Amino acid sequence: MEVLLIHVCKTRALLALILLMWVPMEVMAGTENATHLSTRPSSLNIGALFTLNSVIGRAAKPAIYAAIDDVNSDPSILPGTKLEVILHDTNCNGFLGTVEALQLIENDVVAAIGPQSSGIAHVISHVVNELHYPYFVRTTQSDHFQMYAVADVVEYFGWREVIAIFMDDDCGRNGISILGDALAKKHSKISYKAAFSPGASKNAITELLVGVNLMESRVFVVHVNPDSGLTIFSVAKSLGMMTAGYVWIATDWLPSHLDSLESPGLDTMNLVQGVVALRHHTADTDLKKSFMSRWKKLKHEGSSGFNSYALYAYDSIWLAARALEVFFNEGGKISFSDDPKLKDTNRSTLHLTSLRIFDGGQQYLQTILKMNFTGVSGQIQFDQDKYLVHPAYEILNIGGTGSRRIGYWSNSTGLSVIAPEILYKRPVSANTTAQLYSIIWPGETTAIPRGWVFPNNGTPLRIAVPYRVSYQEFVAKDKSPPGVRGYCIDVFEAAVNLLPYAVPRNYVLYGNGKRNPEYSNLVFDVAQNNFDAAVGDVTITTNGTRIVDFTQPYMESGLVVVVPVKEQKTSPWAFLKPFTYQMWLVTGAFFLFVGAVVWILEHRMNQEFRGPPRKQLMTIFWFSFSTMFFSHRENTVSTLGRLVLIIWLFVVLIIISSYTASLTSILTMQQLTSRIEGIDSLIASNDPIGVQDGSFAWKYLVDELNIAESRLIKLKTMENYIEALQYGPKRGGVAAIVDELPYIELFMSNTKCKFRTVGQEFIKSGWGFAFQKDSPLAVDLSTAILQLLENGDLQKIHNKWLAHNECSIQMIEVDSDRLSLTSFWGLFLICGVACFLSLTVFFCRILCQYRRFIPAAVEGDVEEIVSGSTRSRPSIRSASFKNLMDFVDTKEEKIKHMLKRKGSDSKHDEASPSSGGPLHSPS
């Protein structure tokens, strides 16, 4: 006969019933050696292997009987063949369960559900693999998905570490291993694995929980046997671990246990108030509702209440029956053959030769994997990994006398408050983000627990503080508690006081007090667990962030270059320094040029620009340079002259304003004594560079900017800074110092601004507090630092320690205040173009007027026009360049008068008799 074993492994540590179906290729079918062929037999046996007196066994037993009855009463499934069930009790014993499983095969079963124990399942899996039983099919959801659901819940609430409490058997260890992998993908981890042996006493569990209660994490994932799991919560309650601040997450063992009870008592429910638990999700179909309505009638003596494993056990029987029906319809036959490798040894009572090979095993396996139907638990269909499709869980919050569903989880949609079967019908892009309803946590609070506390073992935080010898305003040793003082300490203390919990701490000086410590070593010691944190002027660097967690920066920083300066000596020729000599030449030339242009444009019509040549020359010079002070007394009357003058006055305004600002800067600003203009010129030079002892600047200059170490000089104190800069490179000092901006601000303030920074900050950074990786304190203190910034307390602390005589941190450069022609050539170009266009229009107008008077010149009128006399007039052809110049020099008023007179004469000639016109008497 064909034997199909549906293997049910109740993982006591995973708290999930794993229904595994395997198809044996070798079974016991009798003691005959001949090949036996069979078509559809009149009856087939279905085996079941459970611990009947267990939560899962009590639920599975009536479901299996109900499924057998329903299959036998359905004429469309295995007609003419009756299914019967053979139920064996493993009594929760690994050895007896293994014997029962082997005996079950001897009963000619075609399928078997079980075993329930993970230990029995492990032994049988080896036996059946050796006997060619490699075909296992899981007919419940894999705990792989359940552990990823737990990881998503942990990520949803922002917890970084959990403690796993589990039973130390195969299923327990495997499940927690999967949980660790799932958490790692969410950047979280299992901080401690608390395992206890099967059947552990209450005292052993008490000792275990006392130990984990001394640890930092307050998020516990409980993955144990549903028959003994409540002991965990009973002990936890007695230890005060079911109060506010604790988080308990139970896998599906807890809902299975509570669902199996007819009505959980108050004592039981009081043990699990506030617990978050996972339960297999099965859609509320009509088929499921019909099955649940029959449940009370289905229960046999000793069985318990309904849970999800009853649904899976019921569907497993139907899966085996439907697969057999398809197997027979496709021509499959139940036939067995001997295995020549199996032989009985002398005096052996195992009867190995009675085990024979099922020839249709491979075909039957493929039939099972292709099955697709709707059962009471939902869709029964397998994916390519032989898992049931659409794994999903309900997220429950235990409270009061029952539980409340706060959301769902599925492997394709994650956490959601919408049922997975609804989300499956939506496009992937329409799926909602992770969401759960509010939870009432242990202690009857709705506030999300922080998930961690300081370890309750009497050990305060070990905080390393740099033992500085310079710039002790930031951090320094102090004789009074807490032993340190300074700006950085006050910021840290103020931030800690904003936390909603106490932070026990001890400050430990880092360094010998003779020189500043190496800050890179300080950060490394925190990463190596030599200290819990580092508090002080610790710069946030890229390398540091790889090994520790920094808080939000509480002080902006950056590297700058410092050089010495000297006061500018007074010079009698200081007024020439604002402009370069090219600028002076061009400016003077334009004053004369614009004066000449305005004179040309105004000469014919403005009496103030006329007169003897000497007077007109003086007018040009006076008008030109008086515009510098806007004090010119001559009025412009021509349109072109006014246009040129307006543009020129705008140019003069810009030049005078720039000159004034530059001269003021030159007379008041200090002068650099170094030729260093910034980090680029410093790199290009070969001069020595000063660096603060212990600063990260040394490593940055060498590794990032490729500056030779031989050029760098370590400076320990502020006095060393002053001496090195004053001596300079020629006297054994340095050309410049590279240091962080907070130190330099304090340095320049204390030295009364005798030194200045040049160039710009060439690296931006900040100061923060360093903690070990994944420390939740780094996150909480970052929030506290932002609160200090928003409420102004951070500035108050700054003013307390660092508010001294402030120097302007203006980055000055050599000769940066001299104005060159480059900055003003655009203005000169505009003015020059305006002058050229105005002159062009002016001379075009003159030429047009002159041409109109050429006929008058023939009649002798030119001489009269230009001289105002009535002397004899030469011919027009004898007119010279002098006549043209005289014409240009004639006032515009006379030209217009002559044009008017010429027009009157022309009309008179047209009216005379000689011209054929009418005669008029003289006026």
Side-chain angles (χ1 to χ4, degrees):
M1 296 184 64
E2 171 196 9
V3 177
L4 171 68
L5 183 57
I6 301 175
H7 169 72
V8 183
C9 170
K10 180 213 65 177
T11 61
R12 293 178 297 177
L14 295 177
L15 306 181
L17 176 63
I18 303 176
L19 295 178
L20 292 177
M21 177 180 294
W22 81 70
V23 181
M25 292 187 65
E26 182 173 16
V27 299
M28 171 180 273
T31 58
E32 298 95 355
N33 292 326
T35 300
H36 174 72
L37 297 177
S38 174
T39 55
R40 292 202 180 199
S42 59
S43 65
L44 293 174
N45 292 331
I46 295 289
L49 196 63
F50 287 97
T51 298
L52 298 181
N53 188 25
S54 67
V55 170
I56 296 175
R58 290 192 294 267
K61 178 181 177 180
I64 291 173
Y65 281 121
I68 292 292
D69 293 341
D70 291 344
V71 169
N72 290 333
S73 62
D74 190 338
S76 63
I77 301 296
L78 298 176
T81 300
K82 180 180 180 181
L83 291 183
E84 296 182 357
V85 63
I86 300 176
L87 190 62
H88 284 198
D89 189 357
T90 62
N91 293 309
C92 208
N93 185 291
F95 176 74
L96 293 178
T98 303
V99 174
E100 291 288 341
L102 295 176
Q103 291 178 349
L104 192 63
I105 299 177
E106 296 180 356
N107 291 326
D108 295 339
V109 296
V110 294
I113 302 177
Q116 181 177 339
S117 168
S118 59
I120 301 172
H122 189 69
V123 173
I124 293 181
S125 65
H126 286 289
V127 173
V128 297
N129 282 331
E130 290 297 327
L131 299 179
H132 304 282
Y133 288 75
Y135 307 128
F136 287 83
V137 179
R138 188 185 303 270
T139 56
T140 61
Q141 300 298 348
S142 170
D143 278 336
H144 171 89
F145 301 110
Q146 181 173 213
M147 293 307 161
Y148 273 82
V150 172
D152 279 353
V153 172
V154 171
E155 180 192 33
Y156 178 82
F157 291 106
W159 300 315
R160 303 290 293 275
E161 296 182 0
V162 304
I163 293 177
I165 301 174
F166 62 100
M167 189 171 290
D168 192 11
D169 59 10
D170 287 341
C171 289
R173 290 187 293 269
N174 292 339
I176 295 305
S177 177
I178 296 173
L179 177 61
D181 294 340
L183 289 173
K185 294 181 180 179
K186 308 294 183 181
H187 304 289
S188 300
K189 66 179 181 180
I190 299 176
S191 60
Y192 184 73
K193 296 180 180 180
F196 61 93
S197 60
S201 64
K202 189 172 183 179
N203 290 336
I205 294 177
T206 301
E207 183 179 352
L208 181 72
L209 293 186
V210 168
V212 299
N213 197 35
L214 296 176
M215 298 178 183
E216 182 179 282
S217 179
R218 283 293 180 266
V219 182
F220 303 102
V221 177
V222 184
H223 190 54
V224 294
N225 192 308
D227 296 293
S228 59
L230 286 181
T231 306
I232 298 290
F233 291 106
S234 176
V235 174
K237 187 173 181 63
S238 65
L239 295 176
M241 297 173 66
M242 298 299 296
T243 56
Y246 288 87
V247 177
W248 292 88
I249 302 175
T251 50
D252 69 332
W253 68 267
L254 180 58
S256 298
H257 177 81
L258 297 179
D259 290 344
S260 66
L261 301 176
E262 290 289 345
S263 57
L266 291 177
D267 293 340
T268 299
M269 297 305 299
N270 287 337
L271 297 177
V272 292
Q273 294 294 304
V275 175
V276 175
L278 278 70
R279 179 172 63 191
H280 294 111
H281 172 68
T282 54
D284 292 330
T285 60
D286 294 337
L287 193 59
K288 175 184 174 182
K289 294 177 181 178
S290 174
F291 178 77
M292 292 180 64
S293 66
R294 299 166 51 198
W295 182 253
K296 290 185 179 180
K297 299 178 180 179
L298 296 176
K299 290 193 303 180
H300 290 66
E301 182 179 356
S303 62
S304 60
F306 174 85
N307 60 41
S308 59
Y309 293 106
L311 301 177
Y312 289 116
Y314 182 87
D315 283 343
S316 297
I317 297 295
W318 272 98
L319 175 62
R322 289 178 180 271
L324 282 171
E325 177 65 23
V326 175
F327 176 78
F328 288 136
N329 291 338
E330 292 178 349
K333 296 180 180 180
I334 299 179
S335 63
F336 306 94
S337 59
D338 296 328
D339 187 345
K341 295 184 294 183
L342 295 178
K343 297 180 180 180
D344 291 329
T345 61
N346 294 333
R347 300 178 182 179
S348 172
T349 59
L350 295 178
H351 303 290
L352 295 179
T353 56
S354 63
L355 298 176
R356 298 190 301 167
I357 298 174
F358 174 35
D359 299 323
Q362 180 63 37
Q363 179 184 352
Y364 187 45
L365 171 65
Q366 297 304 319
T367 302
I368 292 173
L369 295 177
K370 294 178 182 178
M371 295 304 296
N372 184 4
F373 68 95
T374 301
V376 294
S377 63
Q379 185 179 3
I380 305 299
Q381 184 182 2
F382 299 96
D383 60 19
Q384 60 183 3
D385 296 322
K386 301 180 182 180
Y387 291 141
L388 285 176
V389 297
H390 302 320
Y393 289 87
E394 297 176 359
I395 314 298
L396 306 178
N397 182 205
I398 311 299
T401 58
S403 62
R404 179 173 60 93
R405 185 170 57 214
I406 59 173
Y408 303 88
W409 179 92
S410 74
N411 67 324
S412 59
T413 60
L415 296 174
S416 176
V417 294
I418 303 175
E421 55 269 19
I422 298 177
L423 293 178
Y424 292 149
K425 300 177 182 179
R426 298 181 179 179
V428 176
S429 59
N431 290 341
T432 58
T433 56
Q435 185 179 5
L436 293 175
Y437 291 119
S438 61
I439 297 176
I440 300 176
W441 303 97
E444 297 184 357
T445 177
T446 57
I448 299 175
R450 191 171 62 252
W452 67 276
V453 295
F454 286 98
N456 191 19
N457 52 17
T459 303
L461 286 180
R462 299 162 298 162
I463 300 178
V465 177
Y467 195 176
R468 295 192 58 87
V469 297
S470 62
Y471 300 111
Q472 295 187 352
E473 290 87 346
F474 294 108
V475 60
K477 180 181 179 180
D478 193 18
K479 295 181 180 180
S480 60
V484 288
R485 61 178 174 82
Y487 168 76
C488 301
I489 302 300
D490 282 4
V491 172
F492 181 75
E493 290 288 333
V496 168
N497 291 335
L498 292 177
L499 300 180
Y501 49 86
V503 181
R505 56 198 178 276
N506 286 333
Y507 293 106
V508 181
L509 290 172
Y510 187 84
N512 56 18
K514 298 180 180 180
R515 55 177 295 183
N516 295 333
E518 290 288 341
Y519 281 71
S520 58
N521 295 339
L522 171 61
V523 172
F524 181 77
D525 283 343
V526 173
Q528 293 298 309
N529 198 28
N530 294 327
F531 300 98
D532 296 306
V535 172
D537 47 341
V538 182
T539 304
I540 301 173
T541 62
T542 302
N543 291 334
T545 56
R546 294 190 179 105
I547 58 177
V548 298
D549 283 346
F550 285 97
T551 62
Q552 170 80 15
Y554 62 88
M555 168 74 86
E556 292 185 358
S557 181
L559 292 180
V560 294
V561 178
V562 184
V563 295
V565 294
K566 64 180 181 180
E567 294 291 340
Q568 177 68 33
K569 295 182 179 180
T570 303
S571 170
W573 304 104
F575 68 92
L576 295 176
K577 290 186 177 181
F579 288 165
T580 60
Y581 75 91
Q582 296 94 336
M583 182 66 181
W584 280 116
L585 292 177
V586 173
T587 302
F590 256 83
F591 270 109
L592 297 176
F593 173 67
V594 172
V597 170
V598 172
W599 177 83
I600 293 173
L601 297 177
E602 293 289 323
H603 177 69
R604 298 188 68 209
M605 62 182 61
N606 192 338
Q607 188 63 34
E608 294 182 352
F609 288 86
R610 298 183 65 82
R614 185 170 180 273
K615 177 184 177 183
Q616 295 184 45
L617 184 62
M618 293 300 298
T619 299
I620 292 174
F621 277 94
W622 165 256
F623 181 84
S624 298
F625 290 100
S626 63
T627 56
M628 181 186 304
F629 310 102
F630 306 99
S631 60
H632 50 284
R633 64 190 180 194
E634 293 82 6
N635 295 321
T636 53
V637 296
S638 68
T639 302
L640 295 176
R642 289 176 177 178
L643 173 65
V644 171
L645 183 60
I646 289 175
I647 296 176
W648 173 243
L649 290 178
F650 173 75
V651 173
V652 170
L653 176 64
I654 299 299
I655 292 176
I656 295 300
S657 300
S658 301
Y659 174 87
T660 304
S662 180
L663 181 61
T664 303
S665 176
I666 290 174
L667 295 178
T668 58
M669 183 174 292
Q670 297 169 318
Q671 178 66 42
L672 297 174
T673 60
S674 172
R675 302 183 67 85
I676 303 301
E677 302 177 8
I679 187 61
D680 294 332
S681 59
L682 184 61
I683 296 174
S685 70
N686 292 320
D687 296 332
I689 304 170
V691 180
Q692 183 181 169
D693 188 20
S695 172
F696 84 99
W698 180 289
K699 187 174 181 62
Y700 180 83
L701 293 176
V702 173
D703 295 344
E704 301 297 332
L705 301 184
N706 298 319
I707 296 178
E709 289 192 29
S710 58
R711 293 181 56 191
L712 303 182
I713 299 176
K714 290 186 177 181
L715 305 175
K716 297 181 180 180
T717 64
M718 189 179 300
E719 289 74 17
N720 297 148
Y721 276 44
I722 297 174
E723 293 176 358
L725 288 173
Q726 288 179 342
Y727 288 161
K730 295 182 180 180
R731 298 169 54 192
V734 298
I737 291 177
V738 175
D739 205 349
E740 294 182 72
L741 186 59
Y743 301 123
I744 297 307
E745 288 178 335
L746 189 60
F747 169 68
M748 291 192 301
S749 176
N750 291 340
T751 55
K752 299 181 180 179
C753 306
K754 293 182 179 179
F755 307 93
R756 287 291 178 92
T757 58
V758 291
Q760 301 294 326
E761 293 180 63
F762 56 92
I763 179 176
K764 294 286 187 179
S765 184
W767 291 355
F769 306 126
F771 291 86
Q772 295 178 11
K773 271 291 185 181
D774 300 324
S775 173
L777 253 182
V779 178
D780 290 353
L781 278 176
S782 295
T783 304
I785 290 172
L786 291 177
Q787 293 178 7
L788 291 175
L789 180 63
E790 292 173 356
N791 61 26
D793 288 345
L794 193 60
Q795 184 62 41
K796 293 178 182 177
I797 298 173
H798 182 278
N799 295 338
K800 173 185 175 182
W801 289 97
L802 308 176
H804 301 289
N805 297 326
E806 295 186 358
C807 295
S808 173
I809 310 299
Q810 177 186 0
M811 312 301 175
I812 61 176
E813 299 181 2
V814 179
D815 293 333
S816 61
D817 295 295
R818 300 201 69 183
L819 301 176
S820 65
L821 186 61
T822 305
S823 303
F824 297 94
W825 70 268
L827 290 174
F828 289 128
L829 178 63
I830 293 174
C831 184
V833 171
C835 291
F836 175 77
L837 294 178
S838 298
L839 289 175
T840 301
V841 173
F842 174 78
F843 283 113
C844 288
R845 183 180 176 187
I846 291 294
L847 292 175
C848 291
Q849 289 181 347
Y850 185 68
R851 291 184 62 185
R852 292 175 61 185
F853 284 99
I854 290 178
V858 176
E859 299 174 5
D861 292 337
V862 173
E863 189 70 23
E864 180 183 357
I865 294 170
V866 298
S867 64
S869 65
T870 58
R871 291 176 297 177
S872 63
R873 296 178 294 272
S875 172
I876 186 64
R877 291 181 176 85
S878 64
S880 65
F881 179 75
K882 181 178 181 299
N883 294 336
L884 177 61
M885 291 295 100
D886 290 340
F887 180 82
V888 173
D889 188 54
T890 304
K891 292 187 66 175
E892 182 80 12
E893 182 180 355
K894 289 185 178 182
I895 297 297
K896 291 182 179 180
H897 176 74
M898 191 59 200
L899 285 172
K900 183 177 180 181
R901 176 182 170 185
K902 179 181 179 181
S904 300
D905 291 344
S906 297
K907 293 180 181 180
H908 177 73
D909 292 340
E910 291 175 358
S912 64
S914 60
S915 60
L919 296 176
H920 295 277
S921 60
S923 56

